[in-house]
């Protein structure tokens, strides 16, 4: 029986929902690289091959209004059907896909995390956030002036490359830590990131809170530093001391004042109970502390999203535009500062105020809720797979093929010898491009994603044996089995991740300058789009 046609939603209907601040999940189901080349402002990237892993977490309410699109790759309809299988009841296709959006006059944006980046540019344009050029900061460092450089990115980004003397203080930590790192009110504080957004937001956070120090963003971040011909450090490990922070009374008061000015709402445990009972509203419960603090003890029902990254990557964490967001911390600083930015970005945001320390009693990480795979799965242990591959090399060439569904970055770093890199949504093309085998073994980091591909692969290979590696490639590694590195066997192109021009130090100068030029033009693009609903306090 032919499935009924999926309903369609027009560009104008999406626009009306955004302007009315109704809940809507506009989903681009392509891989991240094609998504980054062109998409609407509030589109959330949910690759078709990862729907089972991410949908229930990123779109928690099953009757959310969902609009799915691609750019003619044939991914949208199967993805929409998959969402229906997962229980979503209001799934539609964007009329005409991405081309239909373009034809209707819709504005299209490049890059990733565009809502946050364009908002950061609007903040600088309206508040004239103070900044210093790379040459000026270098001169201060060379003169051993009274200056501290605070890197507002994630620690792993900082560790890859950083401004000399810089200390890792991810965005939400800035108000809590800055005055402990610069106790002299005359000390110049410099806030940096890789490009512009987190430098601007971090600097303006400290300005908004009214700290006494002079504060400035490093203009254009590490990109500006490299374009100025200056040298970055690599492998630095300087981090804020979690036991040392600003005055426990002053910083919360400063943060609360900023949140109040931004219109952040106050939540109690009674509110949480009410929110949970509301069938027509999506509520994200987020703990904005560090992953280490969260793992040591958190509130039941909350997920961990450190505040600086939440502000930077809101479109990933909260895929439903118009949803409610409730933040919590245990210090009265990080949640309020993060919420102040989300409120200015048009979110219905609340901070939970009355959670006693005793309620932070759940420990460890929180696993995403995921569905059970379709049909039975045959499993193989790492030891048995190693024996098969050894036999393969000696006696039965072409008998066993290993397909690795991990990210391309992980694959290049390390994979099982002979394994093929495959993007799940391109499984059919990949199978057609590699030598036919009698047995196929699926793996990824943990095999969580790989197990969802087993039934599809069995259908594609027409009766070949299909098994999934127990524990995935991580289990193979844990047993000390051999590994291979590099782009040895790519059965799919490496389009699963967009290569940011601000990553590392090897991007061409032209690409870095083009990225900055794009950021400078975002305010104008926001004006043309007209759906953002941003306001700057």
């Amino acid at each position: 029986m032919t499935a009924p046609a999926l309903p369609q939603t027009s560009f104008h209907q999406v626009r009306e929902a955004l302007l009315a601040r109704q809940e809507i999940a506009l989903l681009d189901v392509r891989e991240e690289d094609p998504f980054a080349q062109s998409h609407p402002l509030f589109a959330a990237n949910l690759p078709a091959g990862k729907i089972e892993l991410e949908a229930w977490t990123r779109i928690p309410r099953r009757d959310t209004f969902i609009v799915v699109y691609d750019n003619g790759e044939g991914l949208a309809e199967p993805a929409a059907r998959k969402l229906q299988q997962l229980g979503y009841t209001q799934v539609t296709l964007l009329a005409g896909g991405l081309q239909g959006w373009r034809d209707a006059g819709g504005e299209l944006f490049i890059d990733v995390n565009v809502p946050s980046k364009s908002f950061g540019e609007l903040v600088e344009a309206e508040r004239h956030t103070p900044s210093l050029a790379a040459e000026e900061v270098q001169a201060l460092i060379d003169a051993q002036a009274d200056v501290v450089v605070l890197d507002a990115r994630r620690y792993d980004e900082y560790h890859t490359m950083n401004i000399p003397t810089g200390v890792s203080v991810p965005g939400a930590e800035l108000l809590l830590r800055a005055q402990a790192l610069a106790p002299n009110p005359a000390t110049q504080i410099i806030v940096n990131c890789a490009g512009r957004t987190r430098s601007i937001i971090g600097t303006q956070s400290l300005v908004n809170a009214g700290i006494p120090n002079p504060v400035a963003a490093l203009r254009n971040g590490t990109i500006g530093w490299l374009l100025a011909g200056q040298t970055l450090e690599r492998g630095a490990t300087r981090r804020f001391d979690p036991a040392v922070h600003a005055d426990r009374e002053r910083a919360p008061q400063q943060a609360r004042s900023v949140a109040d000015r931004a219109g952040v709402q106050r939540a109690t445990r009674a509110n949480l109970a009410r929110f949970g009972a509301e069938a027509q509203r999506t509520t994200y419960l987020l703990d904005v502390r560090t992953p280490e603090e969260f793992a040591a003890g958190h509130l039941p029902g909350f997920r961990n999203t450190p505040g600086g990254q939440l502000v930077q990557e809101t479109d990933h964490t909260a895929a439903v535009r118009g949803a409610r967001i409730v933040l919590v911390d245990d210090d009265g600083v990080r949640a309020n500062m993060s919420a102040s930015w989300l409120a200015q970005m048009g979110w219905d945001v609340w901070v939970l105020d009355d959670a006693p320390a005793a309620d932070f009693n759940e420990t460890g990480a929180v696993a995403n809720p995921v569905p059970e795979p379709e049909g039975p799965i045959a499993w193989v242990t790492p030891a048995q797979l190693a024996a098969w591959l050894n036999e393969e090399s000696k006696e039965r060439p072409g008998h066993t093929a290993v397909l690795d569904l991990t990210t391309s970055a992980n694959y290049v770093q390390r994979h099982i010898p002979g394994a093929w890199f495959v993007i799940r949504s391109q499984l059919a093309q990949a199978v057609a491009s590699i030598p036919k085998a009698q047995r196929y073994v699926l793996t990824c980091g943990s095999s969580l994603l790989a197990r969802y591909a087993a039934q599809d692969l069995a259908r594609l290979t027409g009766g070949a044996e299909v098994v999934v590696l127990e524990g995935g490639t991580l289990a193979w590694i844990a047993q000390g089995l051999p590994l291979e590195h590099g782009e040895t066997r790519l059965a799919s192109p490496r389009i699963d991740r967009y290569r940011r021009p601000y990553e590392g130090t090897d991007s061409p100068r032209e690409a870095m300058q083009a990225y900055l030029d794009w950021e400078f033009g975002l305010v104008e693009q926001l004006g043309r789009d007209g759906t953002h609903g941003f306001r700057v306090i």
Side-chain angles (χ1 to χ4, degrees):
M1 181 182 295
T2 303
L6 289 160
Q8 298 200 358
T9 299
S10 70
F11 158 77
H12 296 288
Q13 289 171 309
V14 173
R15 182 178 175 82
E16 287 170 6
L18 291 170
L19 290 172
R21 299 200 177 188
Q22 297 171 356
E23 291 196 15
I24 180 172
L26 177 59
L27 302 181
D28 188 317
V29 294
R30 298 174 295 165
E31 297 298 319
E32 188 185 75
D33 186 75
F35 165 79
Q37 307 307 320
S38 183
H39 59 84
L41 176 63
F42 287 115
N45 185 211
L46 177 54
K50 295 182 179 179
I51 286 175
E52 293 96 335
L53 295 187
E54 299 185 9
W56 284 354
T57 298
R58 296 179 64 188
I59 313 170
R61 187 167 59 85
R62 302 296 196 276
D63 58 353
T64 299
F65 176 38
I66 298 175
V67 183
V68 179
Y69 76 88
D70 62 16
N71 195 26
E73 296 89 349
L75 299 170
E77 183 166 345
R81 302 283 184 196
K82 178 62 66 177
L83 289 165
Q84 288 180 327
Q85 291 173 19
L86 294 181
Y88 293 98
T89 58
Q90 293 195 64
V91 183
T92 71
L93 296 175
L94 178 63
L98 189 65
Q99 187 61 46
W101 184 278
R102 183 183 291 109
D103 292 344
E107 188 72 14
L108 292 172
F109 293 75
I110 64 170
D111 207 78
V112 292
N113 308 131
V114 175
S116 303
K117 292 177 180 179
S118 55
F119 172 70
E121 295 301 316
L122 186 65
V123 169
E124 187 189 54
E126 295 199 6
R127 289 300 308 274
H128 307 292
T129 304
S131 65
L132 293 174
E135 295 87 347
E136 295 174 283
V137 176
Q138 182 74 70
L140 290 172
I141 294 172
D142 291 345
Q144 297 185 336
D146 187 6
V147 59
V148 297
V149 178
L150 306 182
D151 193 312
R153 299 171 296 164
R154 300 189 313 268
Y155 176 74
D156 63 293
E157 294 177 271
Y158 161 85
H159 181 69
T160 298
M161 47 88 175
N162 67 284
I163 304 302
T165 77
V167 179
S168 175
V169 187
E173 306 291 330
L174 283 166
L175 179 59
L176 193 61
R177 317 294 177 182
Q179 288 171 272
L181 291 163
N184 182 348
T187 301
Q188 171 74 60
I189 296 176
I190 305 293
V191 180
N192 85 273
C193 66
R196 293 174 52 80
T197 309
R198 286 173 285 183
S199 301
I200 294 168
I201 296 298
T203 298
Q204 197 63 51
S205 292
L206 298 179
V207 172
N208 288 351
I211 73 166
N213 303 70
V215 186
L218 170 61
R219 196 175 304 149
N220 303 331
T222 57
I223 286 181
W225 195 268
L226 289 171
L227 290 176
Q230 296 169 187
T231 302
L232 293 167
E233 284 185 337
R234 293 174 180 266
T237 58
R238 296 180 293 271
R239 309 177 76 166
F240 69 87
D241 184 344
V244 178
H245 47 72
D247 182 81
R248 275 283 185 181
E249 294 182 3
R250 181 177 51 177
Q253 290 173 354
Q254 292 169 312
R256 175 62 184 267
S257 175
V258 177
D260 288 346
R261 297 201 325 263
V264 173
Q265 301 177 81
R266 316 311 303 181
T268 64
R269 285 172 289 178
N271 289 130
L272 290 190
R274 176 170 63 83
F275 295 162
E278 291 180 358
Q280 301 305 312
R281 289 285 278 133
T282 298
T283 301
Y284 295 97
L285 305 179
L286 305 174
D287 185 322
V288 297
R289 299 173 301 155
T290 66
E292 294 81 7
E293 291 172 282
F294 181 83
H298 57 264
L299 296 176
F302 279 74
R303 307 185 69 79
N304 183 223
T305 307
Q309 286 306 111
L310 171 60
V311 173
Q312 174 79 355
E313 301 174 348
T314 316
D315 56 315
H316 183 83
T317 302
V320 181
R321 181 65 175 169
R324 177 193 294 123
I325 299 176
V326 181
L327 306 185
V328 72
D329 60 23
D330 61 359
D331 50 68
V333 178
R334 291 171 284 186
N336 277 307
M337 292 305 297
S338 301
S340 75
W341 291 116
L342 296 181
Q344 294 174 72
M345 292 169 67
W347 290 95
D348 177 15
V349 61
W350 303 61
V351 169
L352 180 62
D353 285 329
D354 66 344
D359 286 358
F360 288 74
N361 54 22
E362 287 200 353
T363 58
V366 176
N368 288 350
V370 296
E372 286 299 313
E374 297 178 19
I377 295 176
W379 298 90
V380 61
T381 65
Q384 181 60 62
L385 175 58
W388 285 347
L389 294 179
N390 183 58
E391 180 184 65
E392 168 93 5
S393 64
K394 293 180 178 178
E395 302 172 14
R396 306 176 73 182
H399 189 270
T400 300
V402 179
L403 308 186
D404 193 337
L405 303 182
T406 190
T407 65
S408 61
N410 285 343
Y411 174 86
V412 169
Q413 183 180 25
R414 56 188 184 182
H415 56 265
I416 294 168
W420 294 87
F421 167 70
V422 175
I423 292 175
R424 184 187 169 205
S425 62
Q426 298 190 352
L427 185 61
Q429 300 93 313
V431 169
S433 70
I434 66 177
K436 189 174 181 179
Q438 294 176 270
R439 177 196 295 128
Y440 293 86
V441 180
L442 286 162
T443 186
C444 61
S446 63
S447 279
L448 185 61
L449 177 61
R451 63 192 185 135
Y452 291 114
Q455 296 300 316
D456 291 337
L457 183 57
R459 286 190 289 268
L460 289 168
T461 54
E465 181 184 4
V466 174
V467 298
V468 180
L469 179 60
E470 287 184 5
T473 306
L474 291 176
W476 176 279
I477 294 167
Q479 294 192 20
L481 294 167
L483 292 167
E484 209 171 46
H485 310 273
E487 297 182 343
T488 54
R489 290 172 180 82
L490 300 182
S492 298
R494 294 187 62 183
I495 60 171
D496 58 308
R497 190 169 189 276
Y498 165 62
R499 177 67 157 85
R500 285 97 168 132
Y502 44 83
E503 289 180 326
T505 59
D506 58 347
S507 291
R509 290 177 62 88
E510 296 78 9
M512 291 189 286
Q513 186 59 58
Y515 177 80
L516 295 177
D517 293 341
W518 165 75
E519 285 196 300
F520 298 146
L522 279 172
V523 173
E524 183 179 342
Q525 265 203 287
L526 282 180
R528 292 197 301 268
D529 179 79
T531 64
H532 60 82
F534 298 157
R535 63 185 182 87
V536 180
I537 61 172

